Amino acid sequence: MKFSRFAILYVSFSLAVALLALGLQHFLETVPVLSPHFWLLFAVIFLLTGLAYGLSDIGIRKGGQVSILSLMGGLFLKLLISLVVIAVLIIKFPENKLLTAINFFSLYFLFTLFEVICLLRNLRDQNQT
């Protein structure tokens, strides 16, 4: 999968997640669904996922040992930076810790699932050639 195709799919996926979040917030007005820092988390995870995919894609194209290290390095850096961001948010703004954590993990796992699916498609394309 070319990076341009990934970018189109990634932006489409991100818009779908954002619209889903807005829809849940609108339809469940009585229950707080989004934390006050949801959009900050969304932006951070969006950027980190794009960077991690780019790093992993470069490594896959080089092949060999570099591909494995770049895949694991990209996912590890994304996890580490994301956990630092969520820790700072929870420590600095202690209200609604549970809601912030739920928002973070739902966004993190959704974006990581999308990234891994795209990376697996890249690996499958590489094995067929």
Side-chain angles (χ1 to χ4, degrees):
M1 174 186 312
K2 300 225 185 257
F3 192 78
S4 59
R5 178 156 167 72
F6 168 77
I8 292 169
L9 290 173
Y10 185 52
V11 169
S12 301
F13 173 76
S14 301
L15 287 174
V17 170
L19 290 174
L20 177 68
L22 287 173
L24 282 173
Q25 184 180 23
H26 178 70
F27 289 118
L28 301 173
E29 291 175 0
T30 59
V31 180
V33 178
L34 301 180
S35 73
H37 310 290
F38 176 81
W39 296 110
L40 173 65
L41 289 172
F42 184 87
V44 167
I45 292 175
F46 175 83
L47 290 173
L48 287 175
T49 301
L51 290 173
Y53 179 85
L55 177 68
S56 300
D57 188 46
I58 290 169
I60 288 172
R61 301 223 185 274
K62 288 191 181 212
Q65 186 81 17
V66 175
S67 65
I68 295 168
L69 290 174
S70 67
L71 283 168
M72 297 307 291
L75 289 171
F76 176 74
L77 285 175
K78 177 182 168 189
L79 175 66
L80 186 66
I81 294 169
S82 296
L83 287 176
V84 167
V85 168
I86 191 64
V88 167
L89 280 176
I90 286 178
I91 290 170
K92 191 161 174 99
F93 304 103
E95 64 278 348
N96 288 332
K97 288 182 193 179
L98 181 62
L99 185 59
T100 303
I102 289 171
N103 286 170
F104 165 74
F105 282 111
S106 62
L107 284 172
Y108 180 81
F109 288 130
L110 277 172
F111 278 93
T112 301
L113 177 67
F114 181 80
E115 177 187 4
V116 168
I117 288 171
C118 289
L119 288 170
L120 287 174
R121 291 184 74 194
N122 280 349
L123 291 173
R124 183 178 54 203
D125 290 343
Q126 191 178 46
N127 287 337
Q128 289 177 355
T129 57

